């Protein structure tokens, strides 16, 4: 078993990040597997200098170690996405050779104007404006590259926390971006390629990324690459019931640490919220993993509200 924790270095580690890191770490350690740390820094304007080092420091303070990563290396290095562009380019070339890539010079305003308005919470579906346009035509602006999603692209999978799920990607999403107009490779492509190349067997992440999974699986199947299993755990909310964000410094691991909260206090409560333990008593990461060795993990489906006090 190989799991990964893949933070974006856009701020300090908050409780939502610690929540998914613990879930991924325990799943691997309880089954004798390996843990990979991968830094997802594909979007340069959002990267905060020093953030990756601070996240790694907070993970270490919590007792969540890793076997492979930017600082320790490993057989699938580099473990920082900004250093892996050649692999993403090779994947796009492979898809292009299959006739599945085309340039698109539509702006977001163009797409919004052409597409029907999505329902609340849904993404805007690309209407296929450039799908059949001549390849050598003049472009209004630097184009993005899109995947020509096959019309029969129905993707099903069994999620470890959510059960059986499936999506008609062509109908619900349409042709999605592989490389942005500014040359940055899209999250869907980079994550799929990295998980396959690093031989990740189980992707544990928050449920807000569940909608991404069919697209990533579609890419892996088109490329003939290894498919991981998926576990989508609930979200962590703040004490007022709002989704945590990195702009809420009060809920970061570092802020709790500076306030005198111990790693065992944090991990004990997170573990109970995830369904890893029956009690929220303080516990070390190693203790939580040992408990999980002898039980079938029943992941909770309920969003977890961070406590207002840690006493």
């Amino acid at each position: 078993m190989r799991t990964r924790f893949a933070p974006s270095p856009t701020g300090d580690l908050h409780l939502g990040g610690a929540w998914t890191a613990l879930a991924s770490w325990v799943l691997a350690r309880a089954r004798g597997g390996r843990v990979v740390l991968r830094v997802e820094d594909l979007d340069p304007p959002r990267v905060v200098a020093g953030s990756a080092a601070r996240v790694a420091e907070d993970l270490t303070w919590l007792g969540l170690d890793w076997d492979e990563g930017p600082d320790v290396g490993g057989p699938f290095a580099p473990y920082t996405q900004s250093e892996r562009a050649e692999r993403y380019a090779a994947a796009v070339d492979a898809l292009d050779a299959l006739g599945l890539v085309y340039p698109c010079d539509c702006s977001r305003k163009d797409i919004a104007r052409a597409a029907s308005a999505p329902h609340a919470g849904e993404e805007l579906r690309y209407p296929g404006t450039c799908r059949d346009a001549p390849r050598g035509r003049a472009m209004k602006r630097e184009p993005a590259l899109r995947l020509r999603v096959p019309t029969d692209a129905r993707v099903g999978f069994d999620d470890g926390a959510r059960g059986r799920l499936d999506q008609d990607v062509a109908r619900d999403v349409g042709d999605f971006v592989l490389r942005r107009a500014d040359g940055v490779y899209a999250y869907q492509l980079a994550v799929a390629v990295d998980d396959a190349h690093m031989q990740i067997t189980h992707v544990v992440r928050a449920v807000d990324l569940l909608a991404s999974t069919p697209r990533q699986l579609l890419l892996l199947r088109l490329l003939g690459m290894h498919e991981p299993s998926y576990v989508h755990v609930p979200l962590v909310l703040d004490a007022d019931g709002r989704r945590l964000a990195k702009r809420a410094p009060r809920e970061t691991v570092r802020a709790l640490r500076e306030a005198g909260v111990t790693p065992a206090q944090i991990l004990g409560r997170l573990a109970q919220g995830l369904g890893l333990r029956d009690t929220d008593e303080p516990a070390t990461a190693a203790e939580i993993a040992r408990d999980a060795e002898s039980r079938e993990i029943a992941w909770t489906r309920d969003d977890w509200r961070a406590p207002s006090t840690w006493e």
Side-chain angles (χ1 to χ4, degrees), residues 151-173:
T151 55
D152 59 350
R154 190 168 194 89
V155 176
F157 65 101
D158 294 304
D159 186 83
R162 306 278 154 177
R164 184 68 183 176
L165 299 163
D166 68 86
Q167 182 183 61
D168 185 332
V169 180
R171 182 195 67 197
D172 298 340
V173 179

Side-chain angles (χ1 to χ4, degrees), residues 61-188:
W61 179 76
L62 288 169
L64 305 176
D65 61 348
W66 51 93
D67 304 294
E68 302 167 28
D71 57 336
V72 296
F76 304 106
Y79 291 90
T80 300
Q81 283 190 330
S82 59
E83 301 173 12
R84 298 178 59 82
E86 289 185 5
R87 289 195 173 273
Y88 311 143
V92 171
D93 287 345
L95 292 167
D96 193 25
L98 296 172
L100 297 175
V101 178
Y102 65 90
C104 170
D105 60 349
C106 294
S107 67
R108 290 184 63 84
K109 185 178 293 186
D110 293 335
I111 296 169
R113 189 182 301 119
S116 58
H119 298 293
E122 292 183 358
E123 295 184 49
L124 191 66
R125 181 188 180 280
Y126 179 66
T129 308
C130 297
R131 182 181 177 103
D132 297 317
R135 189 67 181 250
R137 67 189 173 94
M139 296 285 175
K140 296 177 292 185
R141 56 182 61 84
E142 191 68 27
L145 297 180
R146 288 187 181 272
L147 179 72
R148 189 186 305 274
V149 175
T151 55
D152 59 350
R154 190 168 194 89
V155 176
F157 65 101
D158 294 304
D159 186 83
R162 306 278 154 177
R164 184 68 183 176
L165 299 163
D166 68 86
Q167 182 183 61
D168 185 332
V169 180
R171 182 195 67 197
D172 298 340
V173 179
D175 297 346
F176 55 90
V177 172
L178 300 173
R179 194 187 72 196
R180 297 183 340 198
D182 61 3
V184 173
Y185 288 95
Y187 167 81
Q188 310 295 355

Side-chain angles (χ1 to χ4, degrees), residues 199-234:
Q199 298 182 13
I200 302 301
T201 63
H202 291 74
V203 171
V204 184
R205 59 191 181 190
V207 71
D208 59 334
L209 291 171
L210 182 61
S212 295
T213 306
R215 277 170 279 179
Q216 292 168 21
L217 280 170
L218 175 62
L219 287 169
L220 294 174
R221 292 171 187 179
L222 292 172
L223 290 165
M225 301 177 82
H226 156 81
E227 297 177 22
S229 298
Y230 293 88
V231 177
H232 287 88
V233 296

Side-chain angles (χ1 to χ4, degrees), residues 277-295:
R277 304 184 91 213
D278 298 325
T279 173
D280 68 352
E281 293 180 359
T284 66
E287 290 170 339
I288 296 167
R290 279 198 299 271
D291 289 347
E293 288 176 5
S294 58
R295 62 188 288 177

